[in-house]
Amino acid sequence: MGLRQDRKVAAGHPFLLVGVALALVAIVLQAGGAGVREALAYQRVGVEAGQLWRLLSGHLVHLGWSHLAYNLAGLALIGWLVGRAFDAWRWAGIVAASIVVIDVGFWILNPALAWYVGMSGVLHGVLAGGVLAGVLARDREAFVLAVIIAAKLAWEQWVGPVPGSESASGGAVIVDAHLYGAVGGLLGALGLRHRVPPQASI
C-alpha cells in the first residue's frame, strides 16, 4: 500500500495498540506532576546509583503538558504515515530497539548529559523504521520521506534544533536523541525485515 492509501486509524490498525499504550502511559505520568518526572527522568547519576528504570521511564515523562502534546501530535502523525508497515509486536520491538540505542548512545557518547525526558527520540526511531519498510518495498513516497528525515537529522547535528522546536516543547531539545533513535529504529526494522509480509509498505 502507498502513503495515500488506507489512512484511517481503525481497530485493525497495527500501530494503534502500541501508539495508544505509549500515549496513555505518558498522559498518566504527566498527570503525576513534577515529582513523578523527577523520579522517572533519565538521570545519569541515578542510573549510576542503580536506578535502572530511568533508562526506560525517561522516554515516557515530559517537561510539561505542551511538551507532551507536541510529542503526542508527532506520534499520531507517524502512526498515520507508517503505522501499517509492521504488526503490533514488531512495532513494539522497534520501539524497544530505539530506546536501547538511545540509552547506549547517551551513556557512551554523551557522558556530560545529566538528564533527559521525552518521547521524541523514540518517535524518530518509529518513523525511521517505518520509512525503511517502505523503501525496501520500493514505495516512492517512502524515498521522499527518507530524504526529509536524513536532511532533518543532518541539520540538527550541524546547525542545532529545528527552529521553533524548543519553544514548542518548552525546553532544550537533545538532538542526539533523534539521531540515536533513528539508528535504533533502522536496526530494529532491519532485524525484522525477513518477517514482514512482501506486501507490507507505508
Side-chain angles (χ1 to χ4, degrees):
M1 80 185 80
L3 283 173
R4 296 186 183 89
Q5 296 176 299
D6 209 11
R7 294 300 197 196
K8 186 176 181 180
V9 179
H13 194 295
F15 188 69
L16 186 62
L17 180 61
V18 175
V20 168
L22 289 172
L24 288 178
V25 171
I27 290 170
V28 169
L29 294 179
Q30 182 59 37
V36 170
R37 182 175 65 249
E38 290 296 322
L40 300 182
Y42 169 88
Q43 290 180 355
R44 190 175 183 91
V45 294
V47 174
E48 288 173 340
Q51 299 170 2
L52 300 182
W53 65 83
R54 293 180 181 274
L55 296 172
L56 171 62
S57 61
H59 302 279
L60 299 171
V61 291
H62 293 77
L63 294 170
W65 287 106
S66 63
H67 186 202
L68 175 59
Y70 188 61
N71 277 342
L72 291 184
L75 179 67
L77 176 61
I78 291 167
W80 178 66
L81 286 172
V82 300
R84 296 184 184 276
F86 299 97
D87 63 27
W89 287 108
R90 289 160 184 156
W91 274 127
I94 289 172
V95 168
S98 300
I99 290 173
V100 169
V101 174
I102 294 168
D103 290 339
V104 171
F106 282 169
W107 197 260
I108 296 175
L109 302 177
N110 299 81
L113 180 66
W115 65 278
Y116 169 86
V117 295
M119 201 185 297
S120 62
V122 174
L123 296 183
H124 280 74
V126 170
L127 180 58
V131 167
L132 177 61
V135 168
L136 294 176
R138 301 182 185 279
D139 187 312
R140 292 183 180 179
E141 294 176 24
F143 283 96
V144 174
L145 270 178
V147 171
I148 293 172
I149 296 167
K152 178 181 183 293
L153 293 173
W155 173 282
E156 291 179 334
Q157 289 297 307
W158 291 329
V159 181
V162 173
S165 59
E166 291 188 322
S167 60
S169 62
V173 173
I174 309 300
V175 296
D176 286 345
H178 301 167
L179 178 62
Y180 302 154
V183 171
L186 291 174
L187 291 175
L190 284 172
L192 295 166
R193 72 188 188 282
H194 64 287
R195 298 191 181 96
V196 179
Q199 71 272 20
S201 179
I202 58 177

